[in-house]
Every structure is written in structure tokens, then in C-alpha cells.
Amino acid sequence: MDYKELTYLGLSEKEAKVYLASLELGSSTVQKISQKAKVNRATTYVVIEALINKGMMSQYTEGKKQYFVAESPEKLSLLFREQAMEIQRKHEYLDKILPQLRGLNSDKKDGPVVRYFEGKEGMRAIAEEIFVNDNKGKIRMIYSYDLLVDMFGEDEIKEMRKKRQSKQIKAEIITNDEQNRLETDASVYRVSTDKNKITSDVAIFGDRVRIISQKGKQSGLVIENKEIANTLKTLFDLAVKGLQKKEG
């Protein structure tokens, strides 16, 4: 097995090499693990200690020798589930104290607060903005569903939709959806790409506006300002009224 497969689980290159070497050798000394992993002995000691702290290896002494054992892959699955649950608990606690932290934000002036994001992880973070604690109302969204699928994939989109529904956040969407693939509980207004091409993802919620470029470089921003958000809500609602009249 290629050690790089384990780096996707958050292990460093040396941690992955040492764990796999130990798994193949079974109960073994640090010298043999070091040779098998092709990592120098001193570094192997440090890496093993890190893996023990992560619950991925254990140690015991027999006679005067110290032996190290890799935990079974099955136990790793349980370990990562526990870590995921711990992350979820921390995320929920952060949601709880976020309003207090915002109140302490000395950088927040009377003018708009603008935050910029880049890359795939940045796009995930910016997409999560709709779940902020003070978003108790409706979210208004404009995007190309076809481009949204290209960016996140349908499975991830469904997970975000489920999370929105669990928080009882209603939504209205104006979208390009040429293949009619969007399945949602939200009110949807489909517009043709021929006359109304959409290449950005815009969401208006609470006192925030989220804008993500759906073409080219993955980048986006969040504008936090009540007046800007309210003005864009008004423009969105006017657009929806126009689309409703057209449909009627």
C-alpha cells in the first residue's frame, strides 16, 4: 500500500510510513520499524510517540526491550469516528459562543466588514456562512446549479441542503438549471442561460451577502453590512415578483 493514501487522513508522510511499517511487521522494535519505514531511528522514536498520542500505536516492555505495535485498521475507523464527533462538538460549542466573540470584535466598524476566501476549502467555509447563529430568517440565493455541481458535487450539495433544513432555514432560489436537476424544498425560479446567464453564487441572509465566483479562480467574499444586505434583499424580492408575473 502506498503511504500517501494515509496522508489523506491527516497523517504526515513520516507518520504514514512508520504506521504502515509497524502494521506489516507486527510487534517490533524501533530499529526494525525504522529500517522498514526508511526513516532514521531518532525520527522514528518521535513519530511513534506522536502516533501513540493519536491512539494509532501502543507500546510494551518485554525483558529489557521495548516493543511497539500498530493498532488494527478496524480500531482506526472507530478512532476517526470519535475524532469526527469531537470536532462536531467543538463546532456546536463555537456556534454557541460566536455571538459573544463577534461582540468583542474590535475591528468591526460602522462600515461594511469584507472577508475574502480562496481555494476549495475557502469555498466550503464561505458556503457554511449561511449557518451563522443570527441567521433566523430566509436565505435568498442566485446561482447556476450546473456550475454549483461542478464546484461541489451533488452529494456535498445535498448535505448542505440537509443541514439548512435541520436548522429550519427557508430559501428562495433564482437559478440556471438547464437539466432541471435541482431537487429542493426551497422556492425555485429557473431562468434560461440564453437570456439570463448566471456565473456567480450570491446569497443574502441576515446582515450578510456571500458572493462566490463560479467560473475561473475559486474565490469569494462575504460582506457584512445591514444596509447592503437589506438593499439586495429588496432587489431580489423585486426580481422574484417579476418572475412570478412572467410565470402567471
Side-chain angles (χ1 to χ4, degrees), residues 48 53 57 73 90 121 134 140-141 149 179-180 190 195 204 207 213 216 225 230 232 237-238 244:
I48 287 175
N53 289 334
M57 288 185 70
K90 289 180 179 178
E121 289 307 313
D134 55 358
R140 297 159 171 85
M141 293 184 279
V149 171
Q179 299 179 48
N180 204 30
R190 290 178 172 84
K195 295 182 179 179
I204 312 149
D207 61 355
S213 173
N225 180 269
N230 285 344
L232 289 177
D237 292 344
L238 288 170
Q244 287 173 335

Side-chain angles (χ1 to χ4, degrees), residues 142-144 147 151 176 196-202 212-216:
I142 306 169
Y143 57 71
S144 164
L147 294 177
M151 181 175 287
N176 287 157
N196 302 283
K197 193 168 186 178
I198 300 170
T199 56
S200 291
D201 175 350
V202 180
I212 299 174
S213 173
Q214 291 189 286
K215 278 201 166 184

